[in-house]
Amino acid sequence: MNKLILKPVLLLCAVTILFSCKKETEKVYTDAEIAAESKKVNDYFQMSFDRGVDNYPEFQTRLGIKKDQDKLNDNSPAAAERDLKINKEELQWLTDSVNVDALSKDALLSYKLFKQNVENSIADYKYRLHNYPVNQMFGAQSGKPAFLINMHRIDDLKDAEAYISRLNGFDTYFTQLVENLKAREEIGVMPPKFVYDKVIQDSENILVGQPFDKSNAESTLLKDFMKKVNKLDIDGKAKSILEKHANEALLASVKPAYEKLINFMKGQKERANSDHGAWKFPDGEAFFNNALKRTTTTDLTADEIHQIGLDEVARIHGEMNAIKDKVGFKGTLQEFFQFMKTDKQFYYPANEEGKAAYLAEAVHLIDSMKTRLDEIFITKPKADIMVKAVEPFREKSAGKAFYNRPAADGSRPGIYYANLYDMESMPTYQMEALAYHEGIPGHHMQLAIQQELEEVPMFRKFGGYTAYTEGWGLYSEFIPKEMGFYADPYSDFGRLAMELWRACRLVVDTGIHTKKWTREEGIKYYTDNTPNAELDAIKMVERHIVMPSQATAYKIGMLKILELRKKAKDALGEQFDIRDFHEVVLSNGAIPLNVLEDFVDEYIASKS
């Protein structure tokens, strides 16, 4: 999955973009007038983006900006109210101060996307407490350490001092966090019981090692800090002073911050229940329907999405049966699933050598795909990609695999993370599809190219639509099949297994949040219908529960991209070029699915 989701409000609903010819009675604007009005709105978009960057110091760091690198984000209700006020002012400006008829085609697209973004942000403010800020998937308990480790560079003494300042900011941030959790409890929004122990354990992991105890090992954050400091060209005395100040910050700020969260979570756990769906929220049905619109950028209902999932599960089972017969397996599909789950030939050893071999093979798969990109793409990303194992402090609760986009300034490559905590959840037959989805031609291609687009407002470079982004990721698992990859039928089975997994998501996500399925019923659906390990099923269902609708995006997005490709291929025949089609899909950055259809229609018309 693509880990970068900056703000839920960026997951916009469908927007209809119609580029129609001017009627004869309408004013015809000169090129100069169009250029001037387009520049005005683009300048406004840049101002808005810059203001957002100024308000979020951690986003600055992700962009490679060191302006406020000594600060953490403001997590208070006042900050949420500030953003709402800004959104309302922006909507007023967009409505009153822009001559939409005098915008260029590109500026009009940006205008409509930006306006819809603002409108949705305002509309979704009422749902701002309908979520779980800390859970087994994400939250400050794991996210803040991961942010400092992976994003905060220490290139000089000032950077090191800024790192310490951020450690000193933990106590304030976590105090705000606990107050936010209390506000949610007041309206009846609390995670189900299974979440608490996972959050508590992740939190306690950060408080292990020096200076929190008398062990010989450094704590996670101290180890990261000193590893970076020891690379600086400064004398030993300066390094000792930095270490002393870091230890003080860890004891005076980080420790009490985590203790506050741990104590609150332990107390709230006693008041929590095991209701799993969003139906339990205030106006839960309306919230989930809204979430589906934001996630899929369609008007598909929960029942329609549920049925699409059931239909896709049946189709993929048929293709899997064909592979089962091809490899000569005698038995049912369920028995074949069990064989794939348990046969040792499909798993690396659960030791350091096995994990290193897995990472090396993942690098090889991505490097091999790099050599073939010219066959299917016109534009390739400038940024490189690296493969890393998920860090030990969060590997038990983190997802199976995910991607972090590169720094905008080129200082950090994109990162494909593989979670090697449980090697039985990482079969070799799924390695190809995972690498293609998270790396190349998947998220790295789409997100790096999006960041590198020229003459596109910054909000479009860093915004996102889950159905588009994850639809592309799942589509990218399929493209290599057409290129001759997945030569091993077991790997092709692995590709289908991952597509099947996404089809099951449609069924289970809607089942939990609208049909009141329990966690256990969701797990059983996965284990009955897929070859994945039970731990995969448990993690996936728990993800559905804490991220309503999010997992529906993959299959809905993939199906739409395939539908549009078929549409173009049928219309153009021999004139169809897969490289041109992919250029159309990627060259405008992340967009709603129906807007993508508008661009594909234009592409077809231009070739006809």
Side-chain angles (χ1 to χ4, degrees):
M1 82 182 254
N2 164 34
K3 186 80 184 280
L4 179 88
I5 303 177
L6 296 177
K7 297 172 70 177
V9 297
L10 290 178
L11 305 177
L12 314 182
C13 73
V15 185
T16 301
I17 310 291
L18 297 175
F19 302 111
S20 58
C21 297
K22 302 291 184 187
K23 296 178 182 178
E24 292 183 7
T25 56
E26 292 180 352
K27 175 177 171 61
V28 176
Y29 293 92
T30 66
D31 290 346
E33 288 172 323
I34 292 172
E37 193 68 10
S38 299
K39 181 180 186 302
K40 183 177 80 173
V41 296
N42 282 323
D43 287 346
Y44 187 83
F45 298 152
Q46 185 62 48
M47 179 280 296
S48 173
F49 183 84
D50 290 342
R51 178 168 53 189
V53 171
D54 284 343
N55 287 337
Y56 289 89
E58 293 171 40
F59 188 32
Q60 293 175 25
T61 300
R62 293 178 186 277
L63 296 176
I65 299 169
K66 294 188 175 184
K67 178 183 173 185
D68 294 317
Q69 64 171 340
D70 58 338
K71 298 180 178 67
L72 297 174
N73 290 343
D74 185 351
N75 194 33
S76 67
E81 292 170 5
R82 173 203 65 201
D83 290 347
L84 176 64
K85 182 174 181 288
I86 289 172
N87 285 328
K88 288 180 176 179
E89 291 171 352
E90 290 177 338
L91 182 58
Q92 192 70 43
W93 187 88
L94 292 167
T95 303
D96 297 344
S97 303
V98 179
N99 183 353
V100 178
D101 293 333
L103 294 177
S104 67
K105 178 181 171 181
D106 287 342
L108 179 60
L109 172 61
S110 296
Y111 173 88
K112 288 183 177 287
L113 294 177
F114 188 94
K115 185 169 182 282
Q116 188 68 36
N117 182 8
V118 172
E119 290 171 339
N120 286 343
S121 298
I122 295 169
D124 291 350
Y125 184 77
K126 64 185 176 184
Y127 295 128
R128 67 193 181 282
L129 302 182
H130 284 55
N131 54 48
Y132 307 131
V134 291
N135 56 69
Q136 80 285 357
M137 293 293 299
F138 58 85
Q141 78 284 358
S142 57
K144 286 292 175 281
F147 167 75
L148 286 174
I149 291 168
N150 293 306
M151 302 295 170
H152 190 113
R153 296 180 0 238
I154 296 181
D155 300 322
D156 54 34
L157 185 61
K158 185 178 180 182
D159 294 344
E161 291 169 343
Y163 192 115
I164 294 170
S165 293
R166 279 181 157 159
L167 293 176
N168 279 316
F170 270 52
D171 196 24
T172 297
Y173 189 94
F174 277 61
T175 298
Q176 293 175 339
L177 172 61
V178 170
E179 290 304 309
N180 293 339
L181 294 171
K182 290 177 181 176
R184 284 164 173 78
E185 183 173 354
E186 287 177 5
I187 65 167
V189 175
M190 291 190 293
K193 276 190 178 292
F194 77 83
V195 171
Y196 291 87
D197 288 343
K198 298 174 187 295
V199 172
I200 291 166
Q201 183 174 33
D202 278 356
S203 300
E204 290 175 342
N205 288 344
I206 297 299
L207 301 183
V208 172
Q210 300 174 12
F212 304 117
D213 57 39
K214 298 186 183 301
S215 67
N216 293 325
E218 293 176 323
S219 63
T220 297
L221 285 167
L222 181 61
K223 181 179 179 180
D224 175 65
F225 179 74
M226 291 311 301
K227 179 182 177 182
K228 292 172 179 176
V229 165
N230 285 328
K231 293 179 180 179
L232 296 179
D233 186 17
I234 57 177
D235 60 40
K237 181 179 179 181
K239 291 179 181 178
S240 295
I241 292 172
L242 288 171
E243 183 174 16
K244 176 176 178 291
H245 290 165
N247 280 323
E248 290 171 350
L250 288 165
L251 290 172
S253 176
V254 174
K255 184 178 181 182
Y258 276 93
E259 287 174 342
K260 286 176 189 175
L261 179 61
I262 291 167
N263 290 335
F264 177 79
M265 294 300 282
K266 286 181 176 179
Q268 193 182 66
K269 178 185 175 183
E270 300 306 312
R271 304 187 293 274
N273 59 38
S274 294
D275 292 340
H276 296 119
W279 52 264
K280 72 177 183 178
F281 292 171
D283 298 318
E285 182 179 355
F287 161 75
F288 185 67
N289 288 337
N290 184 69
L292 286 175
K293 286 179 182 292
R294 299 292 187 261
T295 295
T296 67
T297 68
T298 73
D299 290 322
L300 290 168
T301 67
D303 284 343
E304 288 170 333
I305 290 172
H306 192 83
Q307 188 60 51
I308 290 170
L310 292 172
D311 293 342
E312 284 294 288
V313 168
R315 177 187 64 79
I316 296 167
H317 278 173
E319 293 190 30
M320 286 179 150
N321 269 312
I323 290 180
K324 172 180 72 72
D325 295 342
K326 181 177 181 180
V327 299
F329 184 87
K330 305 300 181 185
T332 66
L333 185 59
Q334 271 290 345
E335 289 168 338
F336 190 52
F337 285 170
Q338 191 61 26
F339 164 69
M340 299 296 287
K341 285 180 185 178
T342 57
D343 197 287
K344 296 300 183 184
Q345 68 174 301
F346 301 122
Y347 299 90
Y348 283 107
N351 54 35
E352 292 307 309
E353 291 76 15
K355 293 177 180 182
Y358 186 102
L359 293 175
E361 178 61 17
V363 171
H364 171 71
L365 289 168
I366 288 173
D367 287 347
S368 297
M369 179 58 72
K370 283 181 182 178
T371 67
R372 301 281 300 279
L373 291 181
D374 286 338
E375 299 173 29
I376 55 172
F377 292 105
I378 296 172
T379 301
K380 274 84 66 182
K382 300 182 182 71
D384 202 359
I385 181 174
M386 65 182 296
V387 180
K388 285 182 69 173
V390 174
E391 302 89 352
F393 76 89
R394 58 173 176 158
E395 65 180 357
K396 189 172 182 179
S397 59
K400 182 180 184 121
F402 49 91
Y403 173 79
N404 278 357
R405 67 169 76 196
D409 64 357
S411 60
R412 184 185 65 252
I415 303 172
Y416 160 33
Y417 279 101
N419 192 342
L420 305 183
Y421 171 73
D422 176 30
M423 295 303 288
E424 290 185 3
S425 294
M426 302 294 278
T428 57
Y429 57 79
Q430 287 187 357
M431 287 189 71
E432 278 195 82
L434 265 181
Y436 301 147
H437 179 111
E438 303 295 350
I440 294 175
H443 287 324
H444 182 66
M445 288 289 294
Q446 186 263 315
L447 289 167
I449 287 174
Q450 179 179 335
Q451 280 188 188
E452 295 165 5
L453 292 174
E454 297 179 0
E455 299 180 4
V456 168
M458 294 293 279
F459 84 90
R460 285 176 56 193
K461 291 187 178 187
F462 294 97
Y465 299 79
T466 311
Y468 172 90
T469 303
E470 297 298 355
W472 175 262
L474 186 50
Y475 171 74
S476 294
E477 295 176 21
F478 174 72
I479 302 169
K481 167 74 172 173
E482 300 176 314
M483 300 170 67
F485 290 90
Y486 302 111
D488 182 346
Y490 289 119
S491 279
D492 198 26
F493 175 88
R495 174 188 67 80
L496 286 169
M498 289 184 61
E499 186 180 1
L500 175 64
W501 193 247
R502 276 44 168 266
C504 288
R505 287 176 176 179
L506 302 184
V507 179
V508 179
D509 195 293
T510 52
I512 287 169
H513 294 296
T514 66
K515 301 178 186 301
K516 297 190 177 182
W517 285 18
T518 65
R519 171 180 176 273
E520 289 67 34
E521 286 173 319
I523 292 168
K524 187 174 187 302
Y525 186 85
Y526 278 112
T527 55
D528 285 352
N529 288 282
T530 77
N532 289 60
E534 184 180 28
L535 182 61
D536 277 355
I538 293 170
K539 283 191 172 186
M540 190 66 245
V541 171
E542 292 178 348
R543 171 175 157 186
H544 286 306
I545 291 167
V546 302
M547 300 173 70
S549 85
Q550 191 272 343
T552 64
Y554 299 67
K555 202 72 176 69
I556 297 300
M558 178 203 193
L559 289 172
K560 189 63 177 181
I561 293 172
L562 286 171
E563 173 196 317
L564 294 177
R565 193 179 78 165
K566 184 178 186 302
K567 182 180 185 180
K569 203 168 186 177
D570 289 347
L572 298 178
E574 293 183 358
Q575 285 185 287
F576 177 81
D577 187 326
I578 191 66
R579 295 170 301 170
D580 289 338
F581 176 77
H582 290 158
E583 189 75 3
V584 171
V585 174
L586 297 178
S587 62
N588 291 287
I591 48 180
L593 295 180
N594 68 307
V595 178
L596 177 61
E597 184 161 13
D598 291 337
F599 281 115
V600 172
D601 287 343
E602 286 192 339
Y603 158 64
I604 293 170
S606 72
K607 294 287 187 180
S608 300

